[in-house]
């Protein structure tokens, strides 16, 4: 949401891509639709069932950890997720004539996923320009990750500055059936920490 808001502020027209990868937290799809309704000219929901691969607490029958952010890469990591997502966004961008791709990854207050790091974003941009007709013909792509080096508090402040309704956004890895955030997974802990450190009222409904 904040990433799209920043893109709009910079003068870009937003085409939003949501990947329905059959994740356990289905409420994020409704959240994405609500956000895109406010910020995007067009919203594409693309089905891609990553449960067929498994290997993650978000796509398989593995419990989501609730003990706090720990060392190492947690089981909520979805194998190659951002590589898959960016590849799909790259195909959409090339087909539609866009050359700027925005992704809301963060490598400061995060769970340690390797596909959120600056090195990955830089390398994917290189791949994008090696692997596409547009790229090899000199019509180059740029991957923007404006939240990369922000703390969660910084992101909460940006949402407020941009006039965005943070209550529309969703972070939880293991939401309740009614859509409430669990309050105990890594994503919920980091979200709550961000609002608290920013001194902004947290609009999230936690279990």
């Amino acid at each position: 949401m904040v990433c799209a808001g920043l893109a709009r502020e910079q003068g870009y027209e937003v085409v939003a891509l949501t990947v329905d990868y059959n994740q356990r937290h289905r409420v994020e799809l409704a959240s994405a639709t609500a956000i895109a309704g406010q910020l995007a000219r067009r919203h594409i929901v693309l089905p891609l069932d990553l449960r067929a691969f498994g290997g993650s607490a978000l796509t398989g029958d593995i419990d989501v950890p609730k003990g706090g952010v720990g060392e190492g890469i947690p089981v909520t990591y979805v194998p190659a997720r951002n590589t898959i997502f960016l590849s799909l966004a790259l195909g959409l961008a090339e087909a539609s004539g866009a050359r700027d791709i925005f992704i809301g990854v963060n490598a400061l207050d995060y769970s340690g996923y390797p596909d959120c790091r600056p090195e990955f974003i830089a390398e994917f941009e290189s791949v994008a320009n090696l692997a596409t007709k547009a790229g090899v013909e000199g019509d180059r792509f740029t991957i923007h990750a404006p939240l990369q080096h922000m703390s969660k508090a910084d992101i909460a402040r940006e949402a407020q500055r941009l006039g965005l309704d943070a209550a529309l956004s969703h972070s939880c890895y293991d939401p309740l059936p009614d859509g409430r955030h669990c309050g105990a997974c890594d994503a919920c802990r980091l979200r709550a920490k961000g609002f608290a450190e920013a001194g902004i009222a947290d609009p999230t409904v936690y279990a």
Side-chain angles (χ1 to χ4, degrees), residues 65-70 184-186 189:
K66 302 290 180 71
V69 181
C185 70
D186 285 7
R189 290 171 186 267

Side-chain angles (χ1 to χ4, degrees), residues 155-179:
I155 295 168
R157 291 187 193 101
E158 282 295 274
Q160 185 177 69
R161 183 185 68 79
L162 291 164
L164 302 173
D165 181 3
L168 291 178
S169 66
H170 183 85
S171 302
C172 184
Y173 292 147
D174 193 24
L176 276 67
D178 62 6

Side-chain angles (χ1 to χ4, degrees), residues 89-177:
L90 175 62
L92 171 60
E94 186 170 34
S96 62
R99 296 296 177 261
D100 293 273
I101 298 170
F102 282 75
I103 183 169
V105 294
N106 175 263
L108 193 56
D109 279 342
Y110 77 131
S111 296
Y113 301 150
D115 54 0
C116 289
R117 296 172 301 154
E119 307 95 289
F120 165 71
I121 297 299
E123 292 294 338
F124 191 90
E125 183 174 287
S126 296
V127 168
N129 289 303
L130 286 170
T132 56
K133 177 178 183 292
V136 298
E137 291 181 348
D139 193 7
R140 296 178 62 81
F141 293 92
T142 302
I143 310 296
H144 302 264
L147 314 184
Q148 186 97 72
H149 301 293
M150 291 186 187
S151 66
K152 293 294 188 194
D154 292 333
I155 295 168
R157 291 187 193 101
E158 282 295 274
Q160 185 177 69
R161 183 185 68 79
L162 291 164
L164 302 173
D165 181 3
L168 291 178
S169 66
H170 183 85
S171 302
C172 184
Y173 292 147
D174 193 24
L176 276 67

